[in-house]
Amino acid sequence: GQQLNQSPQSMFIQEGEDVSMNCTSSSIFNTWLWYKQDPGEGPVLLIALYKAGELTSNGRLTAQFGITRKDSFLNISASIPSDVGIYFCAGQSGATNAGKSTFGDGTTLTVKP
Amino acid sequence: GAGVSQSPSNKVTEKGKDVELRCDPISGHTALYWYRQSLGQGLEFLIYFQGNSAPDKSGLPSDRFSAERTGGSVSTLTIQRTQQEDSAVYLCASSTRGEGEAFFGQGTRLTVV
């Protein structure tokens, strides 16, 4: 089946630093999604990407849909303590069962004040 | 309510017992998904309902797992004869269409003792 490799697994950074994480796949996806999950909560969508090469920003977050459609990255600029959490990438093949997402294993972000 | 609602939030059950987990999606959302999240892992797809179409059950790990969606709204995930490896957080999500962003509930933490 489809698998996503998400890296790094965890990051420990100082407040104010920039962060970069990425996902790669052996399969092509038509949609890439980035979610953040806080403890005891469900994931919340941060950015959705629908076109290869698309670069989308949401405040301090920027994400790109790779040209090959097999990868995506998420950047967070000028990190703040509330950025702490687990970040997940997810891909959708957009075929007959379009809503079925394949998730990466997550990147745990710790921000030191 | 405004968001996806899941109940119970926590469930402790004895091995071998059956459990039912409930999901109330956002009103008007035609697509509903169940995922399972084990400790420190990403989300594992279980089942996907889209409108009146036959559900995609390809992620259900065994025949002990089943799900229904009544009237295109509320969904129930049933696990029969629970095993310790079933312990996880079960997350429900809904969306307005079968692709793109999904909105997650807070999950049901299931512990099988």
Side-chain angles (χ1 to χ4, degrees):
Chain A
Q2 296 172 320
Q3 288 190 341
L4 291 183
N5 295 310
Q6 185 171 351
S7 65
Q9 187 174 24
S10 61
M11 301 184 74
F12 296 83
I13 63 169
Q14 207 71 37
E15 182 178 0
E17 290 183 352
D18 297 343
V19 171
S20 184
M21 58 192 79
N22 70 85
C23 275
T24 59
S25 169
S26 57
S27 306
I28 288 174
F29 288 110
N30 291 331
T31 300
W32 281 94
L33 307 164
W34 284 93
Y35 288 90
K36 180 181 182 234
Q37 186 176 30
D38 292 327
E41 303 288 330
V44 174
L45 183 72
L46 298 174
I47 291 181
L49 302 158
Y50 299 105
K51 285 174 58 176
E54 180 181 357
L55 183 71
T56 297
S57 294
N58 178 8
R60 292 179 296 106
L61 277 61
T62 302
Q64 184 156 32
F65 190 145
I67 287 290
T68 65
R69 295 199 280 156
K70 292 184 178 181
D71 64 304
S72 177
F73 72 73
L74 174 71
N75 288 342
I76 306 172
S77 63
S79 58
I80 60 178
S82 62
D83 290 335
V84 165
I86 305 175
Y87 292 79
F88 291 100
C89 61
Q92 294 179 348
S93 61
T96 56
N97 294 304
K100 179 176 157 183
S101 293
T102 300
F103 280 77
D105 283 342
T107 295
T108 301
L109 180 63
T110 302
V111 180
K112 293 177 282 189
Chain B
V4 177
S5 177
Q6 291 188 246
S7 61
S9 55
N10 280 285
K11 175 73 176 178
V12 180
T13 189
E14 291 182 351
K15 178 180 171 181
K17 294 280 180 69
D18 298 350
V19 295
E20 285 189 352
L21 313 179
R22 177 187 169 102
C23 173
D24 281 277
I26 294 172
S27 178
H29 280 192
T30 59
L32 185 148
Y33 325 82
W34 284 98
Y35 288 88
R36 177 168 72 175
Q37 185 176 30
S38 300
L39 187 65
Q41 301 293 315
L43 280 68
E44 174 191 5
F45 168 79
L46 296 178
I47 187 169
Y48 161 52
F49 296 89
Q50 171 59 51
N52 295 320
S53 302
D56 177 355
K57 304 179 182 180
S58 60
L60 296 178
S62 77
D63 59 8
R64 295 187 296 106
F65 288 72
S66 62
E68 290 185 337
R69 189 178 186 193
T70 54
S73 181
V74 171
S75 178
T76 302
L77 177 69
T78 301
I79 308 173
Q80 296 177 310
R81 305 181 303 280
T82 52
Q83 304 294 313
Q84 288 185 327
E85 62 262 28
D86 298 335
S87 296
V89 175
Y90 289 82
L91 290 158
C92 174
S94 69
S95 69
T96 55
R97 54 197 176 104
E99 60 184 58
E101 55 189 289
F103 297 85
F104 282 84
Q106 290 186 317
T108 294
R109 180 174 296 279
L110 175 67
T111 303
V112 181
V113 298

